[in-house]
Amino acid sequence: MVNIEIDGKTIQAKEGVMLIEAADEVGINIPRFCYHKKLSVAANCRMCLVDVEKVAKPMPACATPVTEGMKVQTRSAKAIAAQQGVMEFLLINHPLDCPICDQGGECELQEIAIGYGSDTSTFSEQKRVVKDKNLGPLIATDMTRCIHCTRCVRFGQEIAGVRELGATGRGEHMTIGTYVENSISSELSGNIIDLCPVGALTSKPFRYTARAWEMEQRNSIAAHDCIGSNIRIDVRRNAVLRVAPRDNETINECWISDRDRFSYEGLNCSSRVQKPRIKVDGQWQETDWNSALEFVSSNLRTAVDKHGADKLGALVSPNATVEEMYLLQKLVRGMGSNNIDHRLRQTDFSAQDLAPTVPSLGRPLAELAQLNSALLIASRVNKEQPIAGHLLRRAANSGANIMFVNSEHYDFNFSVAEEIVTSTAGIEQALAGITKSLLSSTKKRAPAGLSALLKTIMPNEAEKKIAQQLLDSKESAVILGSQHSRHAHASTLQALAGVIAKLSGSTFGCLSEGANSTGACLSGAIPHRGPVNESRENPGLDAQAQLANKLNAYMLLGIEPEHDCADGENAITALENADFVVSMSPYTSATSERYADAILPVAPFSETSGTFVNIEGQWQTFAGAVAPLGETRPAWKLLRVLGNLFELDGFDYVSSEEVLNELKEHASTLKLNGKAEWRCPEKLAGADDDLGTLGVSEYSLDCIVRRAPSLQGTPDALESNAQNNNA
Amino acid sequence: MSKNATSQNLSEESRAEIDEWVAKYPAEEKQSAVMGALMIAQEANEGSLTTALMDAIAKHLAMEPIAVYEVATFYSMYELQPVGKHKICVCTNVSCMLCGSDEIVSHLEEKLGIKLGETSADKRFTLKEVECLGACGGAPMFQIGKQYYENLTTEKVDTILTELDTTTALKAN
């Protein structure tokens, strides 16, 4: 620690930090453009010039380390003259188009110009004009406004890990761009919109929609992956107009993925249902809530009375809130059925009783960046959970060995120490090889049956290397990626990965599908266990069995089975053959109108209060950002009323908070077991067995994202759509 | 697309030459050879660079393509559009200007029938305005190929151009 004085205030600062950081720490504001706390220091805008005692020239605060006894004036005549001079230079070429600029009202240049700019200019020559670039469907450019802070360039290099933007040309002719026409492909690209201190890079979908001061900002939680990024939803006249990140150092720092940022377009899409709809004699008609709920409850009751409660199934999106999941399972179980599931793309449930109680990463998210090595299995982490990808990238950059066993080769934006690319079935062989290698080098005892299973396995070089790397590292993790649950032998992967973690002294965890699969397991949206840890004598049917067994009635919450289930076609057939299907969803589609008998408009995450539990186990509650669209209702209210109509006990909640509190009470009694229990897989698949593919495009994962046109236009989405069409 | 670039556009000889530059730097600092590499590629391609060539260099030196574009666009000695056989780089910085570079420029423009930054229709001459080439002692000056021509007068310019014609003609024969 060193003692310094800024503006007469004596403060202590860590040795080696830059002046601007020390000043920020104590709330002394120094104007800046190029400096950003998460990026390297460029010191090229010169806006942060300050007056340092005994130094003749003003010094840039972002690039001047603090030293003992340093005395700094940020507001002395010398400092202000320097800052005003820089501002005058910046304004030479900056256009005066604030009235038509999207950044107007939230522009760093505008704000600082109020403090340091002059109302007249001595510059009478022509201003420079820079041609706009096309950076793809997400980011709009007005490069004439660029002040060359290079934050976007450094972001690409340092955070996104793909250097796509650069500064070409020289002096007055320098421009920021890609040089060749190229869409930005990073899954974190939207963050440069926030980083840009002027209106050069703005959001393309949001362009010309609203002014910063017209919107209200509501806090929320991102609803598309298991990270639970903290977001801010900007709202005007009850419409969601854009989404931006909220700082949370333990989760998303100050970034969010493009999926979390631009998915809001799907919220305002024209296929939203605004009124309850029921099918009477094959004809769809709109109706009021009372009759719709009567219709649904009487039909469900008829089906249950006629065929028994075990012929009733419920499928819920892993992106639903815990309140919704808890009430749905309470309703279904209250009617006597255990058939409820959220694991829609999973096909192997044989080890569900052995799996960890809830999906968990096995360590706090932020610690991913401190790992020395990690083995990820069936994961395209940078696209599937971009924030986790970013954290692993940070680890890789500080020397960690990030290793993969995948069924496809993926380009990662960090250096991969070891990558085994094999067939879907081959993943088992690879894990077996790593396990065997660990067994022989640690001399530990193999769990029952494993030695026999691995008898014929001969670890290859890559497998040995991965095993050794995990053993040699102080902090290591074995992580099952979200593709693993789609594997036909997911239980084998889970068993072997658990053993690998145990033998190598690594933490064991997974990155699960959806925003709330941890919450789903806590709230009992699984067939084999309720919200309390009671063992179910009579476990219900899992997602696949529900569809395969052709039940008589289905309740769907927030899903489109044709896209969200492992076997979409099969799912639709089962639903079409059922007596009664109620789809509780914000959306309608030609397909859902074919199989459903009632479509009840329920609120997406932006229109309801609720809670997501992320993969590290953080409960994050949010309020609705806007009122539900039309006659849409929050699903928890709807489920509560259905509970009343079925005359079930304990459905008298008046707020979602009450639901949450009840669930939390249950959850507190739940014994969380983070480890997978061992049961030896019967056999390993041969590497040539055809087990299908695992990848699902990250931009087709849920019904909201699928309806966000800008995301669908990104290179990532186009590429995977093209692949699907060829398949 | 830049991502699919191969090193196909660099000839074997160019690559060997570039590797001589690479060898001068530590193994993990291959990108230090980028300026030499660009010059080699440019000379092998009739005096100018193409995006494909720059992509090939990026791949060869394990750099991001944009980082190569940045270097190539920064320095005036790299040409990103095809140039004529003789590239005349006229200095118009302060020393040359004070000693009459304006006259040299207008003489050249008139004589060759092209403006600064243009290439003659017969692809023989490109006229380019450059910043100080460090030969202020001999101002006004220009550079053609690797040769500096100093203390220019309009007569001297005429002689130089005629000589260039002759050498070209001789070589052609």
Side-chain angles (χ1 to χ4, degrees), chain A residues 93-127:
Chain A
N93 277 316
H94 191 81
L96 253 181
D97 62 351
C98 306
I100 55 145
C101 174
D102 256 8
Q103 193 87 349
E106 52 180 4
C107 172
E108 290 173 52
L109 185 66
Q110 223 177 17
E111 280 163 22
I112 297 177
I114 287 177
Y116 301 91
S118 166
D119 50 358
T120 52
S121 172
T122 48
F123 183 81
S124 57
E125 290 82 353
Q126 263 200 336
K127 291 189 179 227

Short mmCIF file of all heavy atoms in Angstrom, two decimals, chain A residues 93-127:
data_model
loop_
_atom_site.label_atom_id
_atom_site.label_comp_id
_atom_site.label_asym_id
_atom_site.label_seq_id
_atom_site.Cartn_x
_atom_site.Cartn_y
_atom_site.Cartn_z
N ASN A 93 -13.38 16.39 -35.20
CA ASN A 93 -13.98 15.53 -36.23
C ASN A 93 -15.29 14.89 -35.83
O ASN A 93 -15.95 14.26 -36.65
CB ASN A 93 -12.98 14.45 -36.64
CG ASN A 93 -12.01 14.97 -37.67
OD1 ASN A 93 -12.40 15.66 -38.61
ND2 ASN A 93 -10.74 14.71 -37.46
N HIS A 94 -15.66 15.01 -34.56
CA HIS A 94 -16.89 14.35 -34.16
C HIS A 94 -18.09 15.13 -34.70
O HIS A 94 -18.17 16.33 -34.51
CB HIS A 94 -16.96 14.25 -32.64
CG HIS A 94 -18.08 13.34 -32.18
ND1 HIS A 94 -17.95 11.98 -32.17
CD2 HIS A 94 -19.33 13.60 -31.77
CE1 HIS A 94 -19.08 11.45 -31.76
NE2 HIS A 94 -19.94 12.40 -31.51
N PRO A 95 -19.00 14.45 -35.39
CA PRO A 95 -20.12 15.19 -35.97
C PRO A 95 -21.07 15.72 -34.90
O PRO A 95 -21.15 15.16 -33.81
CB PRO A 95 -20.81 14.15 -36.84
CG PRO A 95 -20.45 12.84 -36.23
CD PRO A 95 -19.10 13.02 -35.63
N LEU A 96 -21.77 16.77 -35.23
CA LEU A 96 -22.74 17.33 -34.29
C LEU A 96 -24.13 16.76 -34.59
O LEU A 96 -25.07 17.48 -34.82
CB LEU A 96 -22.77 18.85 -34.45
CG LEU A 96 -22.11 19.65 -33.34
CD1 LEU A 96 -22.23 21.13 -33.62
CD2 LEU A 96 -22.69 19.31 -31.99
N ASP A 97 -24.20 15.41 -34.61
CA ASP A 97 -25.48 14.81 -34.99
C ASP A 97 -26.19 14.18 -33.80
O ASP A 97 -26.99 13.26 -33.97
CB ASP A 97 -25.30 13.80 -36.12
CG ASP A 97 -24.41 12.64 -35.73
OD1 ASP A 97 -23.81 12.69 -34.65
OD2 ASP A 97 -24.32 11.66 -36.50
N CYS A 98 -25.89 14.69 -32.62
CA CYS A 98 -26.52 14.13 -31.42
C CYS A 98 -28.05 13.98 -31.54
O CYS A 98 -28.60 12.98 -31.06
CB CYS A 98 -26.18 14.94 -30.19
SG CYS A 98 -24.40 15.15 -29.97
N PRO A 99 -28.75 14.91 -32.18
CA PRO A 99 -30.20 14.76 -32.26
C PRO A 99 -30.65 13.50 -32.99
O PRO A 99 -31.74 13.00 -32.75
CB PRO A 99 -30.66 16.02 -33.01
CG PRO A 99 -29.58 16.99 -32.76
CD PRO A 99 -28.31 16.22 -32.70
N ILE A 100 -29.83 12.97 -33.90
CA ILE A 100 -30.26 11.74 -34.59
C ILE A 100 -29.39 10.56 -34.19
O ILE A 100 -29.40 9.53 -34.85
CB ILE A 100 -30.24 11.89 -36.13
CG1 ILE A 100 -28.85 12.34 -36.60
CG2 ILE A 100 -31.31 12.85 -36.59
CD1 ILE A 100 -28.46 11.75 -37.93
N CYS A 101 -28.63 10.72 -33.12
CA CYS A 101 -27.73 9.64 -32.71
C CYS A 101 -28.38 8.83 -31.60
O CYS A 101 -28.89 9.37 -30.63
CB CYS A 101 -26.40 10.22 -32.24
SG CYS A 101 -25.28 9.00 -31.56
N ASP A 102 -28.34 7.50 -31.75
CA ASP A 102 -28.94 6.62 -30.76
C ASP A 102 -28.29 6.74 -29.39
O ASP A 102 -28.90 6.42 -28.38
CB ASP A 102 -28.83 5.17 -31.23
CG ASP A 102 -30.15 4.64 -31.74
OD1 ASP A 102 -31.07 5.46 -31.85
OD2 ASP A 102 -30.25 3.44 -32.00
N GLN A 103 -27.03 7.16 -29.38
CA GLN A 103 -26.31 7.23 -28.11
C GLN A 103 -26.70 8.48 -27.33
O GLN A 103 -26.44 8.57 -26.15
CB GLN A 103 -24.80 7.24 -28.41
CG GLN A 103 -23.92 7.01 -27.19
CD GLN A 103 -23.70 5.53 -26.95
OE1 GLN A 103 -24.35 4.68 -27.55
NE2 GLN A 103 -22.79 5.22 -26.04
N GLY A 104 -27.34 9.44 -28.03
CA GLY A 104 -27.68 10.70 -27.39
C GLY A 104 -28.41 10.49 -26.07
O GLY A 104 -29.37 9.73 -26.01
N GLY A 105 -27.94 11.16 -25.02
CA GLY A 105 -28.60 11.00 -23.74
C GLY A 105 -27.91 9.99 -22.85
O GLY A 105 -28.12 9.96 -21.65
N GLU A 106 -27.09 9.12 -23.45
CA GLU A 106 -26.33 8.18 -22.64
C GLU A 106 -24.92 8.06 -23.22
O GLU A 106 -24.33 7.00 -23.23
CB GLU A 106 -27.02 6.81 -22.59
CG GLU A 106 -27.35 6.27 -23.97
CD GLU A 106 -28.04 4.91 -23.94
OE1 GLU A 106 -28.34 4.41 -22.84
OE2 GLU A 106 -28.27 4.35 -25.00
N CYS A 107 -24.44 9.20 -23.69
CA CYS A 107 -23.18 9.22 -24.43
C CYS A 107 -22.09 9.78 -23.54
O CYS A 107 -22.23 10.86 -22.96
CB CYS A 107 -23.35 10.09 -25.67
SG CYS A 107 -21.85 10.39 -26.56
N GLU A 108 -21.00 9.05 -23.42
CA GLU A 108 -19.92 9.53 -22.57
C GLU A 108 -19.31 10.81 -23.13
O GLU A 108 -18.93 11.71 -22.39
CB GLU A 108 -18.86 8.43 -22.41
CG GLU A 108 -19.35 7.26 -21.57
CD GLU A 108 -18.37 6.09 -21.54
OE1 GLU A 108 -17.19 6.30 -21.24
OE2 GLU A 108 -18.81 4.96 -21.85
N LEU A 109 -19.22 10.89 -24.45
CA LEU A 109 -18.65 12.09 -25.06
C LEU A 109 -19.53 13.30 -24.78
O LEU A 109 -19.04 14.37 -24.40
CB LEU A 109 -18.48 11.89 -26.57
CG LEU A 109 -17.76 13.03 -27.30
CD1 LEU A 109 -16.32 13.14 -26.85
CD2 LEU A 109 -17.81 12.84 -28.81
N GLN A 110 -20.84 13.08 -24.92
CA GLN A 110 -21.79 14.17 -24.66
C GLN A 110 -21.65 14.66 -23.21
O GLN A 110 -21.58 15.85 -22.94
CB GLN A 110 -23.20 13.62 -24.87
CG GLN A 110 -24.13 14.52 -25.61
CD GLN A 110 -25.50 13.85 -25.84
OE1 GLN A 110 -25.84 12.86 -25.18
NE2 GLN A 110 -26.26 14.38 -26.76
N GLU A 111 -21.60 13.68 -22.30
CA GLU A 111 -21.54 14.04 -20.88
C GLU A 111 -20.26 14.79 -20.54
O GLU A 111 -20.28 15.81 -19.87
CB GLU A 111 -21.65 12.77 -20.02
CG GLU A 111 -23.08 12.31 -19.89
CD GLU A 111 -23.18 10.86 -19.42
OE1 GLU A 111 -22.21 10.36 -18.83
OE2 GLU A 111 -24.23 10.25 -19.68
N ILE A 112 -19.15 14.28 -21.04
CA ILE A 112 -17.88 14.91 -20.69
C ILE A 112 -17.75 16.25 -21.43
O ILE A 112 -17.16 17.20 -20.91
CB ILE A 112 -16.71 13.95 -20.96
CG1 ILE A 112 -16.86 12.72 -20.05
CG2 ILE A 112 -15.37 14.62 -20.70
CD1 ILE A 112 -15.83 11.65 -20.26
N ALA A 113 -18.34 16.33 -22.62
CA ALA A 113 -18.28 17.60 -23.35
C ALA A 113 -19.00 18.70 -22.59
O ALA A 113 -18.64 19.88 -22.70
CB ALA A 113 -18.89 17.43 -24.74
N ILE A 114 -20.02 18.32 -21.83
CA ILE A 114 -20.71 19.34 -21.04
C ILE A 114 -19.76 19.94 -20.02
O ILE A 114 -19.72 21.14 -19.79
CB ILE A 114 -21.96 18.74 -20.37
CG1 ILE A 114 -23.02 18.49 -21.43
CG2 ILE A 114 -22.49 19.65 -19.27
CD1 ILE A 114 -24.26 17.83 -20.94
N GLY A 115 -18.89 19.10 -19.47
CA GLY A 115 -17.94 19.60 -18.48
C GLY A 115 -16.72 20.26 -19.08
O GLY A 115 -16.18 21.21 -18.53
N TYR A 116 -16.26 19.76 -20.21
CA TYR A 116 -14.95 20.20 -20.69
C TYR A 116 -14.97 20.80 -22.09
O TYR A 116 -13.97 21.28 -22.58
CB TYR A 116 -13.96 19.03 -20.66
CG TYR A 116 -13.80 18.45 -19.28
CD1 TYR A 116 -14.60 17.41 -18.85
CD2 TYR A 116 -12.86 18.98 -18.40
CE1 TYR A 116 -14.49 16.88 -17.58
CE2 TYR A 116 -12.74 18.47 -17.12
CZ TYR A 116 -13.54 17.42 -16.71
OH TYR A 116 -13.42 16.92 -15.46
N GLY A 117 -16.10 20.71 -22.75
CA GLY A 117 -16.14 21.21 -24.12
C GLY A 117 -16.37 22.71 -24.14
O GLY A 117 -16.84 23.30 -23.18
N SER A 118 -16.06 23.29 -25.29
CA SER A 118 -16.31 24.71 -25.45
C SER A 118 -17.52 24.89 -26.36
O SER A 118 -17.87 23.98 -27.10
CB SER A 118 -15.06 25.33 -26.08
OG SER A 118 -15.38 26.62 -26.54
N ASP A 119 -18.16 26.05 -26.28
CA ASP A 119 -19.35 26.19 -27.11
C ASP A 119 -19.01 26.68 -28.51
O ASP A 119 -19.86 26.70 -29.38
CB ASP A 119 -20.38 27.11 -26.43
CG ASP A 119 -19.76 28.41 -25.98
OD1 ASP A 119 -18.53 28.55 -26.16
OD2 ASP A 119 -20.47 29.26 -25.44
N THR A 120 -17.77 27.06 -28.72
CA THR A 120 -17.38 27.43 -30.08
C THR A 120 -16.13 26.65 -30.45
O THR A 120 -15.43 26.15 -29.58
CB THR A 120 -17.05 28.92 -30.19
OG1 THR A 120 -16.08 29.23 -29.17
CG2 THR A 120 -18.28 29.79 -30.02
N SER A 121 -15.90 26.57 -31.74
CA SER A 121 -14.74 25.82 -32.19
C SER A 121 -13.87 26.72 -33.04
O SER A 121 -14.38 27.54 -33.80
CB SER A 121 -15.19 24.61 -33.00
OG SER A 121 -14.07 24.00 -33.60
N THR A 122 -12.57 26.59 -32.91
CA THR A 122 -11.67 27.39 -33.74
C THR A 122 -11.38 26.65 -35.04
O THR A 122 -10.65 27.11 -35.88
CB THR A 122 -10.34 27.66 -33.01
OG1 THR A 122 -9.87 26.42 -32.47
CG2 THR A 122 -10.52 28.68 -31.93
N PHE A 123 -11.97 25.49 -35.18
CA PHE A 123 -11.71 24.64 -36.34
C PHE A 123 -12.72 24.96 -37.43
O PHE A 123 -13.92 24.87 -37.22
CB PHE A 123 -11.83 23.18 -35.91
CG PHE A 123 -11.52 22.19 -36.99
CD1 PHE A 123 -10.20 21.87 -37.29
CD2 PHE A 123 -12.53 21.55 -37.67
CE1 PHE A 123 -9.91 20.94 -38.27
CE2 PHE A 123 -12.25 20.63 -38.66
CZ PHE A 123 -10.93 20.32 -38.96
N SER A 124 -12.25 25.37 -38.60
CA SER A 124 -13.20 25.75 -39.63
C SER A 124 -13.10 24.86 -40.86
O SER A 124 -13.86 24.99 -41.80
CB SER A 124 -12.97 27.20 -40.04
OG SER A 124 -11.63 27.34 -40.46
N GLU A 125 -12.12 23.93 -40.87
CA GLU A 125 -11.98 23.04 -42.03
C GLU A 125 -13.11 22.01 -42.05
O GLU A 125 -13.90 21.93 -41.13
CB GLU A 125 -10.62 22.32 -41.98
CG GLU A 125 -9.43 23.23 -42.22
CD GLU A 125 -9.00 23.99 -40.98
OE1 GLU A 125 -9.70 23.92 -39.95
OE2 GLU A 125 -7.97 24.67 -41.04
N GLN A 126 -13.09 21.20 -43.11
CA GLN A 126 -14.12 20.17 -43.20
C GLN A 126 -13.88 19.05 -42.21
O GLN A 126 -12.74 18.66 -41.99
CB GLN A 126 -14.13 19.61 -44.61
CG GLN A 126 -15.18 20.25 -45.46
CD GLN A 126 -15.52 19.41 -46.66
OE1 GLN A 126 -14.71 18.59 -47.10
NE2 GLN A 126 -16.71 19.60 -47.18
N LYS A 127 -14.96 18.52 -41.66
CA LYS A 127 -14.82 17.37 -40.78
C LYS A 127 -14.62 16.12 -41.61
O LYS A 127 -15.04 16.05 -42.75
CB LYS A 127 -16.08 17.21 -39.92
CG LYS A 127 -16.23 18.33 -38.91
CD LYS A 127 -17.35 18.05 -37.94
CE LYS A 127 -17.45 19.18 -36.93
NZ LYS A 127 -17.58 18.71 -35.57
#
